[in-house]
Amino acid sequence: MPVPWFLLSLALGRNPVVLSLERVVGPQDTARCSPGLSCHLWDGDVLCLPGSLVSAPGPVLVPTRLQTELVLRCHEETDCDLCVRVAVHLAVHGYWEDPEDEEKFRRAADPELEEPRNASLQAHIVLSFQAYPTAHCVLLEVQVPAALVQPGQSVGSIVFDCFEAALGAEVQIWSYTQPRYQKELNLTQQLPALPWLNVSADGEDVRLVLDVSEEQRFGLSLYWNQDQGPIKPWWHSNLTGPQTITLNHTDLVPCLCIQVWPLEPDSVRTSICPFREDPRAHRNLWRAARLQLLPSRGWRLDAPCSLPAEATLCWQALDGGPCLPLVPPLPRENVTVNVSTWEKLQMQECLWADSLGPLKDDMLLVETRGPQDNGSLCALEPSGCTPLLSRASTRAARLGEQLLQDVQSGQCLQLWDSDLGALWACPMDKYIHQRWALVWLACLLLAAVLFLLLLLKMNPVKAASRSRAALLLYSADDASFERLVGALASALCQLPLRVAVDLWSRRDLSAQGALAWFHAQRRQTLQEGGVVVLLFSPGAVALCREWLQDATSAPRAHGPHDAFAASLSCVLPDFLQGRAPGRYVGAYFDKLLPADAVPALFRSVPVFSLPSQLPDFLGILQGPTAPRSRRLAERAEQVSRALQPALDSCFRPPGALGTGCGMGPEAGVRT
């Protein structure tokens, strides 16, 4: 909601002040007169011709003094023009030449007559206004009742609203009667040549709009006006009009004033303080106020504006509760500091905290002194002020005698002293039993033990979270070979390694399909810095050669769970384009496949024979986190022992039942 607009002007005179100009609404000129008089404004302009002097036939009304006032004629809320209001003071001039004429005039106005006549003195007053290059004259008719007609006496005034004028113009005003019985009155006035300054709200902020002509230079100053002492400058600048300056609403205080003046020699300055009654300004003032305590029982309240305030003593417990009044209360002190009493606000500051050092568990004692120099001491506690020598079940009552001795022996610090009482701060640390220190030490040791146990418990979890991922791809030659692959995958999980193999994901393979499952596992493994293991067997080598050779027939169909066959469409491009090193590693069982059977394309990455090269194979799988050689050899031995039963089952002697690993109808290295 916008605040009212203020229009500033300079009142004429040697000591300028700022007025909030009265508003005249509407374009019509008006006239009004003093009580007892009747007046009328003739429509339209009249000729500005004073005419010659004539003799008065008797008492007549004549103007005796002109008085002007600047007002605003407003057509809308913010569309206003400067206007000059003119007041003409009237008096009776001349005497009756014939006493009989005077008697007839008095009798006509006698109210005791049966048929009194409305006798009055009438005059036509001309007001002439000139402000280059325009001139304007109006005719005012005024009547004075006969009862008010006393020769040589003032009868009142008539006020005309108003003559429009431009800022900085020189105006001349004449007044005379028609016919003219005396020399016309005249007044010359120089209107202020200062910029118009509007103060308006812009949301939460305030705008200062200086509506002046272009290239007109002027000075603008914002300052804090003080009731006592010199003003405090805040901001000053020389500007060229027109200008709009935005003030943050948090900068408003009641004493913030604005001063503006043209940058000319001996120019007159105008000032205004528009925020004296602004609620926001008063709230900001209290927020900006700072209470500072001084040594030797003194304090100071700093604020931008003058503020009458009252200071009193209170006390606050260590738990940070409210500041409670002293019981019994000490005398209050009235102080006047730099801010207006707009709202009741409490500010508090602890007594000379810097001089007292850090907060302590001290007991605050209040000493009250009577007229006969007899005094008493009580201790401030949340329940009230407890007398030291009492039977109450509080800490102060239990230690009352010791605290009294501390005060008398000078072990307590005097915070305040006056004729009626004093404040003492008595240290309580010597009354606290030392066993509490041992309790705290035991608590700290227990916390340290719990922390170490927590760290030890978290280490395996962190180790598991740091284990490397490995995706194991193989060709499902037969059931015995799948059992061997399962044994290898289970053994690798103990290193630790996070192993993914299609044997453990048959449900996902059926739901997603072999190719989609491989894509997801490969992407996740490589993103986590893992490795893809190609486990070569006779069936795997045959599948690789089918993809590599230029065969006219399409590759043969495979089972729905054969992830190796599905993966070759993505694996082979990595090798052909040189992206395989660091991502892939190869392996084969030395009793199942000769070393030269692995296609040359796949030898761009390390290829290991198992179980003879298990230590090197495990070192590559675990990457930078691989343990030292001795520890690595121990792990290789563990994996070898885990593989041995599956190897014995796979490589049966001649004549045994079954075909053995890789000896099924689809096994063998195809050429």
Side-chain angles (χ1 to χ4, degrees), residues 47-54 126 176-184:
L47 294 176
C48 301
L49 297 176
S52 303
L53 285 172
V54 297
V126 176
Y176 51 89
T177 59
Q178 200 175 53
R180 185 160 63 95
Y181 299 116
Q182 66 177 17
K183 185 179 180 181
E184 65 267 16

Side-chain angles (χ1 to χ4, degrees), residues 315-625:
W315 73 281
Q316 187 178 34
L318 281 177
D319 58 4
C323 198
L324 304 174
L326 293 177
V327 181
L330 294 180
R332 296 190 175 191
E333 299 286 344
N334 288 326
V335 294
T336 300
V337 290
N338 279 334
V339 194
S340 138
T341 53
W342 178 262
E343 58 183 280
K344 184 174 180 63
L345 182 71
Q346 292 182 349
M347 289 181 292
Q348 66 184 47
E349 189 73 22
C350 292
L351 278 169
W352 312 294
D354 294 338
S355 62
L356 295 178
L359 289 175
K360 303 175 182 178
D361 187 17
D362 292 352
M363 183 69 71
L364 188 62
L365 305 182
V366 178
E367 179 185 0
T368 55
R369 297 166 183 166
Q372 304 298 329
D373 289 338
N374 56 343
S376 62
L377 283 169
C378 64
L380 286 174
E381 295 182 298
S383 59
C385 200
T386 306
L388 292 187
L389 302 179
S390 68
R391 297 181 179 179
S393 59
T394 63
R395 183 175 65 163
R398 290 192 299 268
L399 301 175
E401 293 185 1
Q402 293 92 323
L403 291 174
L404 185 59
Q405 293 176 2
D406 291 344
V407 173
Q408 294 172 352
S409 62
Q411 297 184 37
C412 297
L413 177 64
Q414 189 180 58
L415 302 178
W416 189 267
D417 188 22
S418 68
D419 295 337
L420 300 180
L423 285 178
W424 300 88
C426 297
M428 299 293 292
D429 50 357
K430 62 181 178 180
Y431 300 114
I432 300 176
H433 202 281
Q434 297 297 327
R435 64 183 179 183
W436 289 109
L438 298 177
V439 173
W440 280 109
L441 181 59
C443 292
L444 291 176
L445 290 176
L446 179 61
V449 171
L450 293 176
F451 182 73
L452 290 176
L453 292 176
L454 182 62
L455 289 179
L456 293 175
K457 186 177 181 180
M458 291 176 61
N459 280 337
V461 178
K462 290 183 178 179
S465 64
R466 290 194 299 266
S467 60
R468 198 180 188 193
L471 173 61
L472 192 59
L473 296 180
Y474 69 98
S475 174
D477 291 358
D478 53 39
S480 297
F481 186 74
E482 283 190 329
R483 284 194 297 271
L484 180 59
V485 172
L488 176 62
S490 299
L492 294 179
C493 288
Q494 306 300 319
L495 292 185
L497 279 173
R498 289 182 291 114
V499 179
V501 64
D502 62 353
L503 278 173
W504 301 339
S505 304
R506 291 294 169 85
R507 182 177 298 177
D508 293 337
L509 280 172
S510 299
Q512 301 177 17
L515 185 59
W517 179 87
F518 166 75
H519 272 293
Q521 295 297 324
R522 172 181 173 276
R523 181 173 62 253
Q524 180 179 353
T525 300
L526 296 181
Q527 285 178 351
E528 294 175 359
V531 63
V532 179
V533 180
L534 299 178
L535 191 58
F536 291 98
S537 66
V541 171
L543 287 173
C544 292
R545 289 179 175 175
E546 281 185 9
W547 280 87
L548 291 174
Q549 68 185 358
D550 295 328
T552 56
S553 59
R556 58 189 175 88
H558 303 281
H561 300 157
D562 196 345
F564 186 86
S567 67
L568 288 178
S569 60
C570 293
V571 170
L572 290 178
D574 286 344
F575 281 86
L576 292 172
Q577 298 174 14
R579 297 194 302 265
R583 295 180 170 189
Y584 293 81
V585 63
Y588 62 95
F589 292 99
D590 38 18
K591 290 185 179 181
L592 185 63
L593 193 71
D596 57 356
V598 177
L601 175 65
F602 297 97
R603 295 189 177 277
S604 59
V605 299
V607 179
F608 300 96
S609 176
L610 303 181
S612 59
Q613 294 179 332
L614 261 176
D616 296 335
F617 177 66
L618 298 182
I620 290 293
L621 291 186
Q622 292 186 270
T625 61

